[in-house]
Amino acid sequence: MKLAQLLALPATLISAVLAIPEYSEHLHLRPLPNGYLYAGFNFTASTSLSAYESQHFRYFPRSLGQILQHSDTRELHLRFALGRWDDESWGSRPRDGKREGGTGVEIWSWLDSGGGKPAVEERWSSLVNSLSGLFCASLNFIDGTKTTRPVLSFEPEGTHRGGGNGMELLHGTLPHEVVCTENLTPFLKLLPCKGKAGISSLLDGHKVFDANWQTMSIDVRPICGLGGDCRLEIQQTVDIVLDIKRSMRPRNDPIPRPRPVEELECDESKSYHASDTCYPKRKEGEMAWSLSKIFGTPVRGSCHVADGDESHDISLEVSPDRAVEVSHGGSNDTLASHEQNQLVRTMRLPDSARQHTDISLPQHIFQDSPHQNRPTLYASRQITGCGQERGGMHTVLHNPHTHQQRIVYLESLPWFLRPYMHTLKVLTHPTNSHDRPTIPLKPDQMYYTPALDRKRGTHLELLLTIPAQSTVELTYDFDKAILRYTEYPPDANRGFDVAPAIIRVLPSTHNTHNTSTAGNEIGQDSYFRTTSLLLPLPTPDFSMPYNVIILTSTVIALGFGSIFNLLVRRFVLAEEVPRSAVAVRVAGVLGKVRGVVGSLKGRLRGGGQGRGGGGVAVGVNGVAAEGDGGMNGVSSVVESRKER
Amino acid sequence: MALSARLLTLRNSPVLLKLPPYLSALCIVIGIAWFFILPLNEYSRQTYVSENAILPGQVHTYFGGSEHNVFRAYRQEVYQLSQFSETDRLAALEKVLREIGLKVAAQPYHFTVAGEEVKGTNVYGVLQGPRADATEAMVLMAAWRNFEGEINYSGLALALTLARYFKRWSIWSKDIILLIPADSTYGPEAWVSAYHSTSPDITATRNVSSLPIKAGALQATVALDYPVGPWGHRFDKLDILYDGINGALPNLDLLNTAVAIASGQMGIGCTIHGMLSHSDSYRDRLTTLAKGVVTQSAGQATGPHSAFVPYHVDAITLKTVGDGWHDEMSLGRTTESLFRSINNLLEHLHQSFFFYILLNANRFASIGNYLPAAMLLAGSFTVTALALWVQSGQVAVGPATKMEGTEKNGAQPELEVVKIGDAVALVPAATTKPAEREMLLPAAVVLAVHLASFLPLYSLNSLHRQHLPTALQTTIATSLLLPALASTALTRRSQISTQQIQIMQSFSLLLLGTSLATLATLNFSLAFVVGVLASPLSFVRPLPRGTTTGFPAVLGRVGREYRYALQVAMNLIATLLYAVASPPVVLYALCWYFSQDVGGLLLEMAKGWSVQGVYTSFVIWAVWWPAWVVGGIALCRGGGER
């Protein structure tokens, strides 16, 4: 609940005071259960639209600005993400999941739609290729097959002229991309202090990428005030969750070797406890930590570059009875709670560039584990089935709340995964019942763009209403396509990654009785992403003895077959082939029938009209055939056929 | 064309027509002999790690020190849990896993096999690799009870200690699943099938609930089997179990890695198939080979890992054997190093062999070397089938039927004058002429026998366990009577001709040959064993009855009065031998040889068939048995008169 409010806090404070400063930065720290620490970095810079159009850049990064201008981008969202957010123990996601990306790289942006579809695609291609160079990421691999045009999942965050007409949304993902230091460095280069001073000095690649979960985002959007003065804002965020214990390991001994026996904390209540038998005690509370130990360095100086930036640099969300020490240079201080919110302590870095700031907290034993918000939704998605021919997708969405929720479920699948939409099943059942999901759930809306081989991926978007306290299972079957052998990437064939599904929880429109539990979600979207998936495809492998066997068997089969034919088969002329007994018998029966029919016809004609020699002749013929029967009948039929 | 012309002249060559039985016998002899040369150095190879990414034993292992104290405590804890009731035990296990920091879930399952209820609950925990992306996982398995039914105290305690230790590392590129199935056969099967099933269907015999937590594609599974209680026991060697269901094998690289780490890095000797003392002599190699072939041909599970292999998840079980000086920490470090190696994998294990027969922990025969043995055996049936087919297309011309005892005089071929235009030639008269084949009846008989095979298949796999031995006895009785009855019926009712008998046998052997050849590429051992057991079928011909054709010439000197009695005696012996070679009798004989209870064996087969999809009984009843019955029909029909 609080996180969103907290993040909004500095912004509300500032906007109350004056106009938005051109640059501000903020770090939010919050310990999570089981010894984890959430650190959310936010860097916001803005420039007036007029300055941007005249290419006058101050805190807004020029390199990015020029790319956006060149590709006529109205709004840009770029995400680099790694790891998993542990919903069960960490609770709801920071920033409502809006600054979060799926594993790998994700980009979506609104482009000027002038010039029709080819022009937009041209712009999109130029945007991703330029960003690829800027961020050292393989964004250039986002081509038509990895691009979708979602309808319901995203809405522009900025204020756009013309109410959002004349622009088009394109969305691309690269689930296989491994986010690394090479992406962080250009990210920091966009900041005014370039990671040298201020909170960005904490962002060291070793620590950021040792996190259990981390996501970097860049969001560019225009915002217009009431007076009509428009600004272009860039928000850069880095959200990480660090394992406190792992991060605090000294640099010279990073290996988690077993601790000496004396350091083990044993549960002495066990009956078998002895000097050589130690049942490890459950970790309780939170160990002592400090910024400098976790990030390896204290905050170096500050980055107060813009005028009018009076905001707090660091906020810390811990229980009010916890002692927090701040050291500036040499002097130590205690950080007190914020007046309005007892859970939050804020501080502003000293303006001096030389001073180092550190925050340290002593060890803390909780009486009761800190309350966590329940996430809006739990989601998991898996590929089922085995073998290389087909499989199934299985998504489980679980609504823990006592009110129903409307969600948009977006999947963009690569073309070589061919879903069968007739097998799409959405079933729901109450969470606490052990019955199988039996009640089918009808999607409110569904957008589906089928894939085209090697041209376009599948785009599936569902608008679902998830009943209160229930679980929804979404399944469909798919085929795995066989790729051409040149289409396999040259690297180790681990399988192909399938992008995570994106789930947007729409704001609840009905303000029901239980606003207390869902209070903060009302009126706000939140986003979730499932984990990415690995899709093993049939792989050509020409090196195995099995292929040798197959080849030799084929050769032997061909050679053996022809030789055996020559040895065994009887060669006769076509005329010599005797008629098979069955055919003769069938022909005999046919002849009889024909004879009967013919005689009947003859009788009809002869009796009814009494004229027509042909008819009589046929009749005679038929009678004769009937009389002879058997083989003769056949021969006569054959003869009569020949005559005709 | 020259070749085809030459071949055409060969068509009626009497040598060629007499060749097939010898050829077929030769195939069988070579096929069996081939098996015995496999242990030689020239036909087997030293194992080697093929996948470069594995780097076995290249990492320093840190498991040890104070972890030993933790291990002892967990072993005590597991021992205490074994005194609890099942529900309490599961709850306590879940609590321990949760304390370690894993995501915990449980999966109940329920099978009904041969009237027996199998129930249990698997507990498992997922260690989410801190920097992994949830797309791949490896499984560390410690069944509550091992394959022999003992409680796996130390194995489970070690798995728990390892999970706690692994939790501290951030190097895992894949999630680690710690799986604690309730037993070693049905638990893993239920878990792995639920992990991969598209839609978990509940049937009368199978009720496996779906898994609440999953972790991407499984890359490899290592199971620990160390059933030693809190009193401790040091082991001598590691027995590596690798056979999967239906003879599917894990990639040889996984096995090699385990052997390389255990023996190379830790100094623990490795054994295969429980051969504790292996001197690497020909005899020991052959014994290992034979044990491997027997286990593989049975197709049954050999350990908790077996259920994973059919799902293309490479899996092995490390089982401690013997008395020695290695302790649980050595096994722990082996497992740690093994997981580090699997963690290194960039792609699914594929580089090395999937088809191999081990002669030793570090010596194997690859598919190219051993496959000919089974293929030759399968080929022997095909050769006979083709010969019968050719024979069925020819009938002897009138006077060519020679009198007995005139072979030497008859060597003079009869000649015929052929006149084409002005040219006149004297050519040997044709002794045979082409005949029309009547195939409907033979085909119908073969089809009917194959359909009938579903009766023993069904009854031996679906009846209650009490009735299984009775069902087998009934099957023996009917199998032995069926050929005689069927041939009498066919002779009396349909007047089945010798030609039709030949065609019928040809069809049946052709089917047997192709089935075995196909099977050899999937499960070499099963194809080989069935091939050897069914090899007499190639030589079954109608018994001589009332005539003297085919009667040994040597016996011709014995008085004519004894001839009839002798013939009857010979026929009896042949029939008896044939009866002994029948599938149900062979099953009985195998039980007797391995001193196993028939009911127990049948129950295992029924369980394997209905729970794990073992197709051995299908091969026995629907491939071998019909071929045997058709052979029996031919045998009983008797030769001589048409």
Side-chain angles (χ1 to χ4, degrees):
Chain A
M1 59 170 189
K2 291 112 206 161
L3 206 54
Q5 290 172 358
L6 281 170
L7 297 170
L9 190 72
T12 45
L13 287 175
I14 305 149
S15 55
V17 178
L18 257 174
I20 314 159
E22 286 199 8
Y23 177 77
S24 69
E25 56 181 36
H26 182 247
L27 166 66
H28 184 74
L29 296 165
R30 175 171 154 231
L32 296 172
N34 302 335
Y36 291 97
L37 174 73
Y38 161 75
F41 296 81
N42 182 34
F43 310 93
T44 311
S46 63
T47 179
S48 73
L49 219 50
S50 52
Y52 167 72
E53 270 153 17
S54 56
Q55 299 227 1
H56 179 68
F57 296 106
R58 199 166 171 212
Y59 301 118
F60 195 97
R62 172 183 290 273
S63 49
L64 188 62
Q66 286 179 336
I67 291 172
L68 298 182
Q69 281 177 348
H70 181 253
S71 56
D72 289 328
T73 307
R74 300 281 188 83
E75 192 174 317
L76 170 75
H77 303 272
L78 180 62
R79 304 278 184 271
F80 299 90
L82 200 64
R84 278 164 284 184
W85 178 266
D86 184 353
D87 289 296
E88 271 173 49
S89 44
W90 300 343
S92 58
R93 299 181 181 223
R95 307 175 212 272
D96 283 335
K98 281 184 182 169
R99 293 288 175 264
E100 187 186 314
T103 308
V105 179
E106 193 177 332
I107 177 174
W108 68 99
S109 83
W110 277 267
L111 299 171
D112 195 335
S113 63
K117 206 177 165 187
V120 174
E121 273 167 12
E122 181 71 22
R123 280 179 203 129
W124 175 246
S125 160
S126 118
L127 175 68
V128 291
N129 278 291
S130 324
L131 289 176
S132 166
L134 187 60
F135 289 104
C136 297
S138 317
L139 280 161
N140 52 322
F141 284 108
I142 296 183
D143 52 7
T145 61
K146 290 178 179 127
T147 306
T148 51
R149 292 154 199 267
V151 185
L152 302 169
S153 296
F154 299 103
E155 265 166 33
E157 286 183 15
T159 36
H160 293 276
R161 273 169 283 176
N165 290 329
M167 55 186 203
E168 201 167 327
L169 169 66
L170 286 101
H171 179 266
T173 50
L174 276 181
H176 186 58
E177 185 77 4
V178 181
V179 184
C180 197
T181 324
E182 60 182 5
N183 308 118
L184 180 68
T185 313
F187 181 91
L188 292 178
K189 285 272 159 58
L190 299 181
L191 300 173
C193 298
K194 318 255 180 230
K196 304 283 184 217
I199 57 168
S200 63
S201 62
L202 294 177
L203 289 172
D204 168 39
H206 290 99
K207 295 294 174 185
V208 171
F209 296 106
D210 194 37
N212 279 41
W213 176 81
Q214 73 92 12
T215 175
M216 299 195 299
S217 72
I218 290 178
D219 297 85
V220 183
R221 56 171 185 174
I223 357 173
C224 296
L226 288 172
D229 54 330
C230 286
R231 304 182 70 78
L232 193 68
E233 185 198 72
I234 175 169
Q235 270 197 23
Q236 288 179 257
T237 61
V238 180
D239 287 342
I240 52 180
V241 173
L242 291 159
D243 184 336
I244 297 178
K245 201 171 178 184
R246 194 168 73 224
S247 308
M248 300 253 291
R249 259 176 223 148
R251 264 212 175 159
N252 53 8
D253 183 21
I255 297 165
R257 51 182 104 230
R259 305 315 303 162
V261 179
E262 309 83 67
E263 286 180 30
L264 274 186
E265 283 183 42
C266 302
D267 185 351
E268 291 175 15
S269 64
K270 296 279 178 188
S271 59
Y272 47 76
H273 176 76
S275 58
D276 67 341
T277 310
C278 171
Y279 189 87
K281 210 174 189 175
R282 190 174 164 71
K283 272 185 287 177
E284 273 168 18
E286 192 184 301
M287 59 189 296
W289 57 269
S290 70
L291 273 188
S292 60
K293 277 190 184 155
I294 283 187
F295 288 97
T297 165
V299 182
R300 289 194 295 264
S302 63
C303 188
H304 300 147
V305 286
D307 305 331
D309 173 18
E310 296 293 323
S311 64
H312 302 285
D313 291 301
I314 299 177
S315 60
L316 182 65
E317 191 185 348
V318 286
S319 68
D321 53 339
R322 233 178 139 176
V324 179
E325 269 193 19
V326 180
S327 66
H328 295 298
S331 62
N332 284 358
D333 234 344
T334 316
L335 196 62
S337 296
H338 198 266
E339 302 90 35
Q340 294 166 2
N341 192 336
Q342 284 292 307
L343 282 172
V344 183
R345 306 174 198 211
T346 52
M347 67 166 288
R348 187 174 158 80
L349 293 172
D351 283 339
S352 155
R354 295 264 176 89
Q355 270 189 2
H356 289 189
T357 311
D358 193 8
I359 298 178
S360 53
L361 284 89
Q363 190 176 10
H364 182 70
I365 310 288
F366 305 123
Q367 302 310 316
D368 47 343
S369 60
H371 170 73
Q372 293 298 327
N373 293 316
R374 264 185 311 179
T376 10
L377 208 68
Y378 296 100
S380 79
R381 178 167 168 254
Q382 294 291 338
I383 284 182
T384 56
C386 64
Q388 309 210 301
E389 199 183 349
R390 53 182 73 90
M393 193 73 81
H394 184 218
T395 311
V396 181
L397 304 166
H398 163 43
N399 178 7
H401 295 284
T402 49
H403 57 93
Q404 64 173 29
Q405 296 194 65
R406 271 160 73 79
I407 63 153
V408 179
Y409 178 82
L410 167 69
E411 271 193 1
S412 47
L413 306 170
W415 66 265
F416 39 80
L417 189 153
R418 295 173 175 151
Y420 288 113
M421 276 303 130
H422 72 278
T423 60
L424 178 73
K425 274 187 219 134
V426 189
L427 299 171
T428 177
H429 64 119
T431 304
N432 42 14
S433 82
H434 292 287
D435 302 333
R436 313 247 356 115
T438 41
I439 316 156
L441 188 77
K442 197 172 172 292
D444 301 336
Q445 274 182 48
M446 176 168 163
Y447 289 89
Y448 172 58
T449 320
L452 293 176
D453 278 3
R454 299 177 177 86
K455 288 202 180 73
R456 186 173 76 187
T458 307
H459 155 225
L460 173 67
E461 227 169 351
L462 297 171
L463 181 64
L464 297 169
T465 307
I466 301 185
Q469 284 186 322
S470 55
T471 303
V472 170
E473 293 192 21
L474 192 147
T475 55
Y476 57 82
D477 299 343
F478 59 79
D479 266 359
K480 299 173 183 179
I482 294 176
L483 299 189
R484 293 175 187 150
Y485 79 99
T486 47
E487 285 168 338
Y488 288 89
D491 39 344
N493 172 45
R494 171 176 172 267
F496 289 81
D497 289 74
V498 178
I502 300 170
I503 298 156
R504 174 189 185 193
V505 183
L506 295 171
S508 317
T509 43
H510 62 295
N511 216 337
T512 47
H513 44 281
N514 41 26
T515 40
S516 53
T517 52
N520 61 322
E521 284 121 31
I522 286 181
Q524 286 228 16
D525 282 355
S526 59
Y527 284 90
F528 288 87
R529 278 162 178 86
T530 62
T531 52
S532 63
L533 300 171
L534 190 66
L535 176 75
L537 286 185
T539 315
D541 190 347
F542 293 104
S543 63
M544 289 290 132
Y546 219 67
N547 299 296
V548 180
I549 295 169
I550 290 164
L551 281 174
T552 31
S553 304
T554 314
V555 171
I556 287 177
L558 288 174
F560 177 80
S562 48
I563 290 176
F564 182 68
N565 265 340
L566 284 170
L567 277 176
V568 166
R569 185 165 285 178
R570 244 188 308 147
F571 296 99
V572 286
L573 292 172
E575 293 90 67
E576 284 175 11
V577 181
R579 298 189 57 159
S580 81
V582 179
V584 169
R585 214 169 279 177
V586 169
V589 172
L590 273 179
K592 274 186 189 176
V593 171
R594 213 169 281 207
V596 171
V597 171
S599 67
L600 278 177
K601 268 189 190 169
R603 253 178 237 165
L604 274 176
R605 283 187 193 169
Q609 295 172 351
R611 59 182 172 87
V616 176
V618 171
V620 169
N621 200 352
V623 170
E626 204 180 329
D628 292 335
M631 287 299 287
N632 294 338
V634 174
S635 60
S636 63
V637 167
V638 171
E639 277 162 22
S640 62
R641 196 189 288 155
K642 273 179 190 165
E643 282 160 19
R644 280 167 209 168
Chain B
M1 278 325 281
L3 179 71
S4 57
R6 202 163 293 170
L7 281 170
L8 278 172
T9 61
L10 269 177
R11 288 171 57 128
N12 284 327
S13 150
V15 180
L16 197 68
L17 289 177
K18 276 182 190 154
L19 200 58
Y22 300 103
L23 201 62
S24 174
L26 195 69
C27 279
I28 292 169
V29 170
I30 297 180
I32 294 174
W34 197 290
F35 184 76
F36 288 93
I37 60 165
L38 285 178
L40 298 176
N41 275 341
E42 287 76 17
Y43 296 91
S44 57
R45 271 193 270 174
Q46 200 73 25
T47 54
Y48 55 94
V49 173
S50 185
E51 170 71 86
N52 287 324
I54 293 179
L55 299 172
Q58 296 296 301
V59 292
H60 195 282
T61 51
Y62 294 93
F63 187 70
S66 61
E67 296 295 332
H68 207 158
N69 295 11
V70 178
F71 167 79
R72 285 194 200 98
Y74 277 136
R75 188 160 62 182
Q76 291 283 358
E77 189 71 21
V78 172
Y79 181 71
Q80 287 192 351
L81 292 188
S82 67
Q83 317 291 322
F84 290 2
S85 72
E86 197 188 341
T87 36
D88 290 349
R89 187 185 83 214
L90 295 173
L93 270 180
E94 286 189 28
K95 183 170 163 275
V96 173
L97 291 182
R98 217 163 264 132
E99 277 177 13
I100 291 172
L102 310 183
K103 304 267 160 237
V104 188
Q107 181 213 19
Y109 60 86
H110 180 208
F111 295 107
T112 313
V113 190
E116 209 178 47
E117 305 266 308
V118 184
K119 261 187 200 174
T121 305
N122 297 326
V123 179
Y124 67 102
V126 180
L127 193 166
Q128 297 187 333
R131 291 190 285 173
D133 55 357
T135 54
E136 292 170 299
M138 35 196 181
V139 182
L140 173 62
M141 178 163 49
W144 177 255
R145 281 181 191 277
N146 74 357
F147 205 63
E148 283 77 34
E150 304 159 293
I151 296 184
N152 191 7
Y153 298 107
S154 297
L156 178 51
L158 188 60
L160 291 172
T161 321
L162 279 170
R164 183 176 169 277
Y165 169 74
F166 286 164
K167 180 74 182 161
R168 297 208 294 270
W169 290 84
S170 63
I171 48 165
W172 305 115
S173 67
K174 302 161 176 49
D175 289 355
I176 298 173
I177 300 176
L178 173 59
L179 171 61
I180 309 171
D183 71 350
S184 283
T185 322
Y186 304 104
E189 172 64 34
W191 191 84
V192 75
S193 63
Y195 200 95
H196 291 99
S197 77
T198 326
S199 55
D201 295 318
I202 297 171
T203 59
T205 58
R206 184 188 185 89
N207 183 355
V208 175
S209 36
S210 57
L211 300 178
I213 310 175
K214 289 190 192 176
L218 302 181
Q219 299 294 316
T221 300
V222 177
L224 299 178
D225 182 355
Y226 191 17
V228 175
W231 42 92
H233 175 84
R234 292 179 174 235
F235 62 92
D236 182 27
K237 284 184 175 174
L238 275 183
D239 193 30
I240 300 178
L241 307 176
Y242 60 95
D243 279 287
I245 305 289
N246 285 330
L249 302 176
N251 196 286
L252 189 55
D253 263 347
L254 183 63
L255 214 88
N256 288 342
T257 311
V259 172
I261 288 170
S263 52
Q265 199 182 8
M266 303 295 158
I268 309 174
C270 290
T271 64
I272 300 290
H273 297 295
M275 294 278 291
L276 255 178
S277 57
H278 196 299
S279 60
D280 207 22
S281 62
Y282 174 83
R283 198 189 162 80
D284 281 352
R285 283 187 187 175
L286 189 66
T287 317
T288 319
L289 175 71
K291 282 188 174 183
V293 166
V294 168
T295 335
Q296 199 185 16
S297 60
Q300 298 278 343
T302 55
H305 65 282
S306 292
F308 284 78
V309 184
Y311 291 91
H312 198 14
V313 180
D314 302 293
I316 52 169
T317 298
L318 305 178
K319 184 181 169 68
T320 58
V321 283
D323 292 323
W325 53 274
H326 297 292
D327 68 348
E328 49 275 357
M329 285 295 117
S330 322
L331 180 58
R333 284 169 66 195
T334 310
T335 318
E336 183 197 354
S337 191
L338 192 52
F339 270 80
R340 291 288 298 274
S341 285
I342 299 169
N343 188 50
N344 282 346
L345 280 180
L346 289 173
E347 39 192 325
H348 204 94
L349 279 168
H350 72 285
Q351 191 87 31
S352 191
F353 293 88
F354 281 104
F355 298 91
Y356 51 87
I357 298 183
L358 288 175
L359 307 170
N360 191 346
N362 43 30
R363 196 154 193 96
F364 75 107
S366 77
I367 185 166
N369 289 338
Y370 70 66
L371 196 63
M375 285 297 180
L376 281 172
L377 281 173
S380 79
F381 301 115
T382 315
V383 167
T384 314
L386 296 178
L388 284 168
W389 174 260
V390 172
Q391 276 176 24
S392 71
Q394 294 173 337
V395 285
V397 187
T401 47
K402 294 164 216 154
M403 289 305 291
E404 188 257 336
T406 56
E407 281 96 343
K408 277 171 193 164
N409 307 343
Q412 198 78 29
E414 292 191 19
L415 297 178
E416 201 177 20
V417 181
V418 176
K419 243 183 180 176
I420 299 171
D422 296 336
V424 178
L426 202 61
V427 295
T431 53
T432 57
K433 69 167 195 223
E436 207 45 56
R437 293 188 183 89
E438 286 168 22
M439 290 189 287
L440 186 64
L441 184 65
V445 171
V446 172
L447 190 68
V449 173
H450 273 270
L451 286 179
S453 74
F454 283 89
L455 280 174
L457 183 65
Y458 175 79
S459 62
L460 283 171
N461 286 318
S462 319
L463 289 178
H464 192 274
R465 61 177 301 181
Q466 291 170 341
H467 308 307
L468 286 179
T470 327
L472 186 65
Q473 282 148 12
T474 322
T475 315
I476 291 187
T478 38
S479 315
L480 294 183
L481 286 177
L482 185 64
L485 293 177
S487 82
T488 316
L490 285 171
T491 325
R492 295 269 161 82
R493 285 261 165 163
S494 321
Q495 274 94 38
I496 192 162
S497 65
T498 313
Q499 186 211 39
Q500 282 174 321
I501 287 284
Q502 282 171 340
I503 293 174
M504 184 181 78
Q505 245 190 312
S506 166
F507 280 167
S508 160
L509 289 176
L510 207 57
L511 261 175
L512 181 65
T514 41
S515 313
L516 288 184
T518 315
L519 185 66
T521 58
L522 296 172
N523 186 348
F524 161 79
S525 302
L526 185 56
F528 182 79
V529 170
V530 172
V532 170
L533 291 173
S535 57
L537 295 183
S538 288
F539 307 103
V540 171
R541 297 290 180 278
L543 285 174
R545 187 193 291 167
T547 61
T548 46
T549 38
F551 200 77
V554 194
L555 295 168
R557 289 183 195 146
V558 186
R560 280 186 178 258
E561 57 272 26
Y562 295 118
R563 208 166 259 178
Y564 183 70
L566 255 175
Q567 197 176 45
V568 170
M570 296 280 290
N571 286 0
L572 258 178
I573 291 171
T575 320
L576 265 179
L577 280 178
Y578 192 71
V580 166
S582 77
V585 174
V586 168
L587 266 186
Y588 248 107
L590 284 177
C591 284
W592 172 77
Y593 182 75
F594 291 107
S595 51
Q596 267 212 342
D597 173 34
V598 179
L601 182 92
L602 290 175
L603 183 65
E604 282 307 307
M605 285 180 73
K607 282 177 174 176
W609 168 265
S610 47
V611 176
Q612 299 185 305
V614 177
Y615 55 63
T616 311
S617 45
F618 180 82
V619 174
I620 292 176
W621 299 114
V623 175
W624 180 20
W625 187 80
W628 183 86
V629 170
V630 170
I633 294 176
L635 187 83
C636 295
R637 191 260 170 191
E641 77 266 40
R642 281 192 67 127

